[in-house]
Amino acid sequence: MRAVIVAVGVAFLISLFCTPIAIKVFTRLKAGQPIRAEGPAMHQGKKGTPTMGGVVFIIATVIAYVAGHLALTTLPDQQIAQVEPTITALVLLGLMVFSGAVGFIDDFLKVRKRNSAGLNKRGKLFGQILVGAVFGVIALYFPSSMVDAAGTATNVETVGSTTLSFIRDIDALQVGKVASVIIFIFVVMAATNGVNLTDGLDGLATGASVMVLAAYALIAFWQYRHWCADPNYTEKYCYAVRDPLEIALIAGAAAGACVGFLWWNTSPARIFMGDTGALGLGGLIAGMAMSTRTVLLLPIIGGLFVIITMSVVIQIISFRTTGKRVFRMSPLQHHFELAGWSEVNIVVRFWIIAGIGVAIALGLFYSEFLANVS
């Protein structure tokens, strides 16, 4: 727990105090956010607000991970913890950094061209698939090498699983490594696009991501406290995952970094996370679902992202098949803007929806544990 707290605190402070520096730097570089002409008219006042702020909380998360590992070296010997950096960290931080890099290219092109076009759809899609495929292979083809005092391999797990999972792996749903990599890519694409579509109002995606990441930090730490790799904890209801403390540390660090960023990103936003931040967070959240073996729980934990994504899908299908729009504008948050809701009201109410999804998911997770121990 000490390492997680250190990581959260370091990430929060870095993000809180370095974001104003980023605001000044991006303002001098004239890295302002272009606003779509077809978007809500009230958004035109946001034109020129610095973007690419996701760079700050991505860097803060990485630095906080290192700080958390320094704290791990002070843990008592009897505690089970991976002090050295792991493949799990490589996958999770890699997904965040390289998904963010795809978003950074998109943001850079928008700023350079002075319009909202950015990276074309094929380019962004290729980048997401490439990132998902590379880290999907790493997650599925590199098992852990933890050994006990007798030199026997224990907890030989990969970051991802060849079995579909809800709260744990579902043994009846074995899909194999190749299919698992494909699923990994799909989850990365779904999560990155979900967070990106949600990032339309000041603080909306940031606040929702804090809740989701905090939920994964709780889930991963619970798994660490009931880990099958712990020789003192071999009951039938332990969790067969890899490096759960690493997962909790990174999730906590990212959540802390987002809280620090939210101070400056809430309405009226002084800086936007841009696609850099949205895709980076989406990639990390996808990795969290795969590494904690809670893939099918992700749509509930990230319920707000699902709802907003579905509003876009429904709008496109309806317009192409009937020529009519279901919503005044999609994504959904813009529909309510045009309906006369204030931006702050929309954000707060959508945060409540995000919180409900997180609460339901955590309730399901804990109730499954209670059902196993009863």
Side-chain angles (χ1 to χ4, degrees), residues 94-132:
L95 283 169
M96 188 181 199
V97 171
F98 286 95
S99 293
V102 174
F104 182 85
I105 294 171
D106 186 40
D107 287 332
F108 177 79
L109 292 175
K110 288 177 183 177
V111 170
R112 185 177 181 181
K113 296 177 181 178
R114 303 299 182 194
N115 62 51
S116 60
L119 188 64
N120 62 47
K121 292 181 180 179
R122 289 185 179 180
K124 188 179 292 187
L125 182 64
F126 174 77
Q128 292 170 330
I129 292 174
L130 180 62
V131 171

Side-chain angles (χ1 to χ4, degrees), residues 170-253:
I170 304 171
D171 293 335
L173 296 179
Q174 290 280 347
V175 296
K177 287 188 177 181
V178 174
S180 293
V181 172
I182 294 173
I183 292 170
F184 196 101
I185 295 170
F186 173 79
V187 174
V188 169
M189 293 174 62
T192 52
N193 285 302
V195 178
N196 198 24
L197 290 171
T198 303
D199 182 34
L201 300 180
D202 295 352
L204 177 56
T206 310
S209 296
V210 168
M211 298 182 208
V212 171
L213 290 166
Y216 276 119
L218 289 173
I219 287 172
F221 192 77
W222 184 265
Q223 291 176 333
Y224 169 64
R225 299 300 296 175
H226 303 85
W227 192 19
C228 293
D230 188 339
N232 299 316
Y233 201 97
T234 57
E235 285 85 347
K236 64 179 181 179
Y237 47 87
C238 66
Y239 295 93
V241 296
R242 176 172 178 172
D243 308 317
L245 186 58
E246 286 277 86
I247 303 169
L249 194 154
I250 294 171

Side-chain angles (χ1 to χ4, degrees), residues 15-89:
S15 192
L16 179 66
F17 292 109
C18 289
T19 299
I21 299 173
I23 293 172
K24 293 179 181 179
V25 171
F26 290 139
T27 299
R28 290 176 182 174
L29 294 175
K30 297 182 179 179
Q33 175 69 48
I35 303 298
R36 292 185 304 162
E38 63 271 20
M42 60 282 289
H43 284 202
Q44 294 305 314
K46 300 181 180 184
K47 186 176 181 179
T49 302
T51 187
M52 296 187 283
V55 169
V56 178
F57 59 72
I58 290 174
I59 293 175
T61 300
V62 175
I63 294 175
Y65 168 75
V66 176
H69 260 267
L70 293 176
L72 277 178
T73 61
T74 65
L75 287 173
D77 293 338
Q78 66 268 24
Q79 287 194 250
I80 303 297
Q82 179 64 56
V83 176
E84 299 298 325
T86 64
I87 292 292
T88 302

Side-chain angles (χ1 to χ4, degrees), residues 249-313:
L249 194 154
I250 294 171
C258 285
V259 172
F261 181 76
L262 184 61
W263 182 273
W264 307 101
N265 181 234
T266 193
S267 183
R270 296 276 306 280
I271 189 171
F272 298 140
M273 69 167 67
D275 281 19
T276 304
L279 297 189
L281 288 174
L284 178 60
I285 289 170
M288 291 288 161
M290 299 298 293
S291 59
T292 57
R293 313 292 172 87
T294 56
V295 173
L296 298 180
L297 192 65
L298 175 58
I300 302 176
I301 294 179
L304 178 65
F305 303 140
V306 174
I307 291 169
I308 289 177
T309 301
M310 289 308 300
S311 73
V312 175
V313 173

